[in-house]
Amino acid sequence: MPGRPRLSEAIETRRFETDGRGSVPLDVRLIAASKRRPADELERGKLLPALYAQIAGQVLTMPPLRDRRDDLPLLARTL
């Protein structure tokens, strides 16, 4: 899981430690998308508990695009 502890720490402290340049302040909001359920990945040990706690605040579940065919024309026009 390289990188995940650093991501979790950066989200928590709102600072990112760079290689050689010190610490950089962060003012970001994290949006994560996955086809897997984060709770399942946590149980499998694939997701750090601290990172799960940080990203599990608001969950938006959307059906796949194949089940939303009426959305296709609108999406095609925005490309």
Side-chain angles (χ1 to χ4, degrees):
M1 286 188 280
R4 291 182 189 169
R6 288 182 70 184
L7 175 61
S8 182
E9 181 182 348
I11 294 168
E12 185 174 320
T13 63
R14 297 190 177 271
R15 299 194 73 71
F16 185 76
E17 298 294 327
T18 63
D19 296 330
R21 290 190 295 165
S23 178
V24 177
L26 293 177
D27 184 17
V28 298
R29 291 190 179 165
L30 179 67
I31 298 174
S34 176
K35 63 182 178 182
R36 297 186 178 112
R37 294 185 57 224
D40 293 343
E41 296 302 298
L42 179 66
E43 287 180 19
R44 288 187 194 109
K46 301 285 185 179
L47 187 62
L48 293 173
L51 185 55
Y52 174 78
Q54 292 164 339
I55 65 171
Q58 297 290 325
V59 177
L60 174 63
T61 303
M62 292 186 67
L65 189 55
R66 68 178 168 268
D67 295 339
R68 300 181 289 127
R69 295 207 186 266
D70 292 342
D71 291 348
L72 286 173
L74 175 63
L75 289 170
R77 284 193 299 269
T78 60
L79 296 176

